[in-house]
Amino acid sequence: MTKALDSKKLGLFIACGIALCVLPFVVGGALGNSWVRIVDFALLYVMLALGLNIVVGFAGLLDLGFIAFYAVGAYTYALLSSPHFGIHWPFYVTIPLGALFAAFFGVLLGTPVLRLKGDYLAIVTLGFGEIVRIFMNNLNAPINITNGPQGINLIDPIHVAGVDLGTPISLFGLNLPPVYLYYYLFLALTVLVVIMASRLQHSRIGRAWVALREDQVAASAMGINIRNIKLLAFALGALSGGVAGGLFSAFQGFVSPESFSLLESIMILAMIVLGGMGNIAGVILGAVVLTIAPEILRDVIGPLQMKTMGRMLIDPENARMLLFGIAMVVMMLVRPEGMLPSKRRKAEFKDAKDAAAQKG
Amino acid sequence: MDIFIQQILNGLVLGSIYALIALGYTMVYGIMGLINFAHGEVVMFGAMVCITVVSTLTHSGVDLPGWAIVLIGTLVAIPACALLGFVIERVAYRPLRGAQRLAPLITAIGLSITLQQVAILIWGRNYIPFPDLLNSDTVSIMGASITKLQVMIVVLCVVLMTGLLVMVEKTKLGRAMRATSQNPTVAGLMGVNVNTIISATFMLGSGLGAIAGVMVATNYSQAHYYMGFMIGLKAFTAAVLGGIGNLGGAVAGGILLGIIESLGAGYIGQLTGGFLGSNYQDIFAFMVLILVLIFRPSGLLGEKMADRA
C-alpha cells in the first residue's frame, strides 16, 4: 500500500474537493434548502458511522449502543451552551469537552465488557445505550439536570471567529443561510474524522485491531495488549460520536432523549454493514445512502400511492421502515460483505462460504 | 413488610412470563448457538393475534364465558406464532448457517424492524386494549393482594415449563434436540434430521412465546406494536442469568429477574433517598445482565457452551 500521490490521484482529489465545496449551492439551487439540511445530516451520520466503524469494522467489537456516545456529546454541548444552566461556553471548549466525555464513557463501557465477545457484547452495549437513554429521560427530578422527556431548548448556535452560524450572512455577494454555514463546518470536521480513521487503519494500532478481530488469542500471543487496544477502539469510536453529537446539538438548537433511541444505533450499524464494514469509503457511502434514500422515499411513496391506488394505504414513515427492514435482511442474504467490501473481509466471507459448503 | 410480600408476588408473576419467553431464547441458542433477536416480536404477534380474535368474537356476540373466548384466542395465536417462528428460521437463519457471526444478527434485527412495521400496518400505532373478559377478583396472601388471573398465569407457566422439561428429557423429539445441541453433525449421521429439529425448536419456542404474549396482554390489559422489544430484552437477560442454553436455568433466571425488578422498583426510592424513582425499573434488568456477564458469564446454573462468552 504505497501512498504515491501521482498526478491522476491529485486531480481526482482536487475535483472532489471543489465538488464538495459547491455542493450546497447546487443542491440548494436545484432542490431547496431543506435538502441542504439533509446533506448536513448525512455528514453527521458519516462521522457517526466512521466512529462506529472503528469499533465494529476495525476491532470487530459489536456495539449496539453507539448512540449513547452521540447523546453524551449532544447533552454536554446542550448543558454548557444554553439557558438551562445559564452557561454559555464557546464551542471550541464544549465540543472537545463533549468528545472527551464521550470517550470517557467509551472506556467506562469498555472496561466491564472486556471479556465479552459476539452476541453477548451486542446485548450488553445495547443495554448500556438504553441505560443512558433512561437516565436522560428521568434526570429531571429531584434535581433537574437533563429536563427529562421535554429535552433542552434554545441551545446556542456555534460562533466561529465572531460569526454566528445560526444567522444568514453575506459573503462576496453570496447569501449564505445557516444550513450552508453548518455544512462547511461539518465538512471540515468530517474530513478530519476521515483522516483520523484512515491514518489509524494503516497504523500499528489499526493492524493490532485487525489482529484482535481475526484471532484474539493469537494476537495476545504476539504481544498485543488486548485490553488497551480494545479500550482504545471504544474510546476513539466514542470520540467521533461525541463530536457529531455536539454538532448535532448546536445545529438543531434542541435535544431530547427521543433522538437517541435504539433504532438510531441500529441505523448506524446498518450504514456500516450496507456500505462495507472496515472499508472507509464503503462506510461513507453507506451513511450517505441510508440518510438520503429514506428522504427520497418519503417524497416518492406518498404521491406514488395516490397515483396508483388513489388513496394512502401505508403512511410514508411506515413504508420507509418496512423497506429498511426488508433491505437489511435481503442485503445480508445476497451480499453480506456490503456495497464496497474491504479486501480482507471479502476474503473472509469467501472462506466462510467455502467452509459452509464443505460442512453442508 | 406488606410491600415486600406484594413486590415478591408481582415479581413472581412477571418472572413467570419472563421465564416462558426465556425458554424460547435458550432453546434456540442451545441448538444453534445464536440469539434469536426477533423472538420479542413473536411474543408481540401472539398478543396481537389473540386480541384480534377475542375482539372479533365478542363483537359478533358469541355467547361464551370470558375465559373460553381468551382460550380460543390463545389457541389461534399459538399456531400463528409457530408458523411465524418457522418462517423466521427459514428466511433469516437457515441461509446463513456457517456464515460469519454478524450476519444472522443483522438479519434478525432487520426482521424485528420488518415485523414491527407489519404490526403497524395491521393494527396501527396505538395501544390496543384487551377486552375486559376475565374476572379480576383479588386473592389475599399474607396481606398482599394478587388477582386470580395472575395466579392463573403463574400456574399455567409452571405447567408449561414442566411440560417442556419433561418433553426434552423423555420424548424422542427431546432426545433429538439434545443430540443436535451437542453436535449437529454427529446427530445428523445418527439419523436425526437436523433441519427438522431446528424448525421444530423454533416453532416450540415461538408457541411458548405466543402464550407469554397473551399473558402480558391480559396482565396489562393492552398490547402495542413495540411491546416485544423490551420484554424480549428482559427475557433474554433472564436466559443469560440462568445460563443460556440451559432450560432449567431459563426458568430460574426468569423468576429471579422478575423478583429483582419488582423489589428494585419498589425500594429504589428509599435506597437512593428519593433521587431515583420507580421509573428506573427498566434499568435493573440491564444492570443485572452486565453484572452477570462480568462475574459469571456462564450464568448461575452454567451454560452448555461456555467457550463463547
Side-chain angles (χ1 to χ4, degrees):
Chain A
M1 214 27 224
T2 49
K3 296 284 277 182
L5 264 183
D6 47 33
S7 56
K8 212 173 181 181
K9 239 184 183 156
L10 194 69
L12 188 72
F13 195 73
I14 291 170
C16 275
I18 293 170
L20 282 171
C21 283
V22 298
L23 186 70
F25 294 99
V26 176
V27 172
L31 302 160
N33 282 354
S34 64
W35 276 91
V36 181
R37 196 182 162 74
I38 293 166
V39 172
D40 289 3
F41 268 106
L43 285 174
L44 284 178
Y45 278 116
V46 168
M47 273 184 245
L48 281 170
L50 284 168
L52 183 60
N53 183 49
I54 291 175
V55 183
V56 183
F58 294 168
L61 304 162
L62 191 54
D63 186 346
L64 285 181
F66 191 70
I67 207 71
F69 307 127
Y70 187 53
V72 168
Y75 265 83
T76 307
Y77 184 93
L79 292 174
L80 297 177
S81 319
S82 71
H84 183 66
F85 284 149
I87 305 174
H88 297 278
W89 287 359
F91 86 100
Y92 49 80
V93 177
T94 46
I95 298 237
L97 206 64
L100 284 175
F101 207 49
F104 167 72
F105 262 75
V107 174
L108 200 72
L109 161 72
T111 311
V113 301
L114 279 172
R115 287 167 56 187
L116 304 178
K117 286 208 298 268
D119 297 345
Y120 280 176
L121 184 64
I123 299 266
V124 172
T125 48
L126 190 156
F128 175 79
E130 284 296 298
I131 289 175
V132 169
R133 199 177 56 81
I134 292 169
F135 269 99
M136 287 186 314
N137 229 337
N138 293 312
L139 274 182
N140 52 347
I143 310 165
N144 187 353
I145 299 173
T146 62
N147 208 16
Q150 288 84 29
I152 297 170
N153 247 319
L154 303 171
I155 298 167
D156 305 345
I158 290 178
H159 293 254
V160 182
V163 179
D164 179 356
L165 297 190
T167 52
I169 56 168
S170 290
L171 204 69
F172 318 122
L174 283 171
N175 190 23
L176 296 172
V179 277
Y180 287 39
L181 299 171
Y182 274 109
Y183 170 84
Y184 291 112
L185 177 72
F186 289 180
L187 186 65
L189 284 162
T190 306
V191 168
L192 267 181
V193 173
V194 171
I195 291 170
M196 176 181 106
S198 105
R199 296 288 72 209
L200 271 172
Q201 188 178 10
H202 300 298
S203 69
R204 292 172 57 103
I205 296 167
R207 301 220 176 270
W209 281 333
V210 173
L212 165 78
R213 189 182 79 205
E214 300 300 318
D215 190 336
Q216 192 173 320
V217 180
S220 184
M222 291 292 140
I224 291 170
N225 184 332
I226 297 291
R227 187 195 64 213
N228 288 2
I229 62 160
K230 269 192 186 180
L231 290 181
L232 193 63
F234 272 116
L236 289 172
L239 195 78
S240 7
V243 171
L247 295 173
F248 165 79
S249 191
F251 182 53
Q252 287 278 73
F254 164 74
V255 289
S256 78
E258 231 167 69
S259 317
F260 309 111
S261 64
L262 171 73
L263 189 67
E264 288 284 323
S265 286
I266 290 175
M267 273 283 185
I268 300 164
L269 183 69
M271 286 168 186
I272 296 179
V273 172
L274 192 81
M277 222 180 312
N279 178 352
I280 291 175
V283 170
I284 295 173
L285 179 70
V288 172
V289 167
L290 270 190
T291 319
I292 307 275
E295 300 297 333
I296 296 174
L297 278 178
R298 197 186 305 237
D299 281 1
V300 169
I301 288 173
L304 190 74
Q305 285 191 70
M306 294 303 274
K307 217 182 268 175
T308 49
M309 315 279 182
R311 63 199 169 95
M312 287 287 256
L313 282 179
I314 309 177
D315 71 283
E317 179 59 18
N318 188 191
R320 188 172 75 96
M321 288 309 298
L322 193 64
L323 286 171
F324 174 68
I326 294 170
M328 248 170 127
V329 176
V330 171
M331 188 80 193
M332 271 293 119
L333 296 179
V334 179
R335 214 185 146 88
E337 67 272 21
M339 290 187 286
L340 294 177
S342 70
K343 285 197 184 80
R344 195 186 305 264
R345 289 242 171 205
K346 198 166 181 176
E348 271 171 52
F349 278 111
K350 201 174 159 302
D351 287 348
K353 268 199 184 121
D354 293 348
Q358 279 170 5
K359 253 191 197 163
Chain B
M1 196 60 210
D2 278 358
I3 197 173
F4 181 74
I5 303 280
Q6 182 67 57
Q7 295 296 3
I8 292 270
L9 282 181
N10 292 349
L12 198 63
V13 176
L14 202 59
S16 317
I17 297 175
Y18 289 162
L20 210 48
I21 306 170
L23 283 172
Y25 279 108
T26 261
M27 278 185 344
V28 167
Y29 189 94
I31 285 198
M32 303 181 68
L34 62 82
I35 294 164
N36 177 11
F37 255 100
H39 192 55
E41 269 57 52
V42 174
V43 174
M44 178 266 294
F45 258 81
M48 292 292 202
V49 169
C50 179
I51 287 188
T52 308
V53 172
V54 169
S55 306
T56 316
L57 286 177
T58 42
H59 283 306
S60 57
V62 175
D63 191 26
L64 280 172
W67 61 265
I69 293 184
V70 176
L71 185 68
I72 293 170
T74 315
L75 289 177
V76 175
I78 294 170
C81 282
L83 181 68
L84 187 63
F86 176 79
V87 171
I88 287 174
E89 194 267 334
R90 270 301 168 87
V91 170
Y93 299 129
R94 186 165 302 185
L96 292 171
R97 234 176 271 170
Q100 56 102 280
R101 296 299 320 277
L102 209 57
L105 183 75
I106 306 270
T107 49
I109 293 172
L111 262 184
S112 267
I113 294 173
T114 310
L115 289 174
Q116 279 179 19
Q117 297 304 317
V118 169
I120 293 178
L121 272 185
I122 304 175
W123 292 288
R125 286 177 187 273
N126 302 326
Y127 281 90
I128 304 178
F130 198 99
D132 193 14
L133 293 169
L134 300 161
N135 86 5
S136 49
D137 299 350
T138 53
V139 188
S140 176
I141 302 174
M142 293 158 74
S145 67
I146 182 171
T147 63
K148 279 186 178 167
L149 170 68
Q150 290 177 317
V151 175
M152 195 58 220
I153 286 177
V154 175
V155 170
L156 192 58
C157 278
V158 170
V159 170
L160 285 168
M161 292 184 246
T162 318
L164 184 77
L165 292 178
V166 168
M167 190 215 84
V168 169
E169 284 304 319
K170 300 285 179 210
T171 63
K172 203 170 168 181
L173 173 67
R175 187 189 296 174
M177 280 164 78
R178 279 179 293 139
T180 309
S181 83
Q182 272 181 15
N183 190 329
T185 321
V186 176
L189 292 173
M190 294 296 129
V192 174
N193 186 338
V194 175
N195 280 341
T196 311
I197 295 299
I198 289 175
S199 285
T201 307
F202 265 87
M203 288 165 84
L204 254 175
S206 304
L208 290 177
I211 299 170
V214 174
M215 287 175 178
V216 177
T218 49
N219 194 24
Y220 295 106
S221 26
Q222 60 183 24
H224 186 242
Y225 79 95
Y226 200 60
M227 70 188 250
F229 163 68
M230 199 44 115
I231 200 139
L233 212 55
K234 287 178 178 172
F236 173 79
T237 304
V240 171
L241 183 60
I244 192 145
N246 180 327
L247 294 177
V251 175
I255 305 280
L256 191 62
L257 184 69
I259 290 174
I260 290 174
E261 215 177 65
S262 290
L263 288 180
Y267 285 99
I268 187 169
Q270 290 172 32
L271 288 175
T272 56
F275 186 70
L276 303 175
S278 59
N279 43 0
Y280 285 89
Q281 184 179 351
D282 289 342
I283 281 187
F284 296 106
F286 298 130
M287 292 287 184
V288 166
L289 179 67
I290 292 171
L291 290 173
V292 169
L293 286 173
I294 294 166
F295 293 111
R296 220 187 133 74
S298 55
L300 298 176
L301 301 185
E303 71 166 304
K304 285 193 170 158
M305 296 178 281
D307 59 333
R308 297 273 308 277

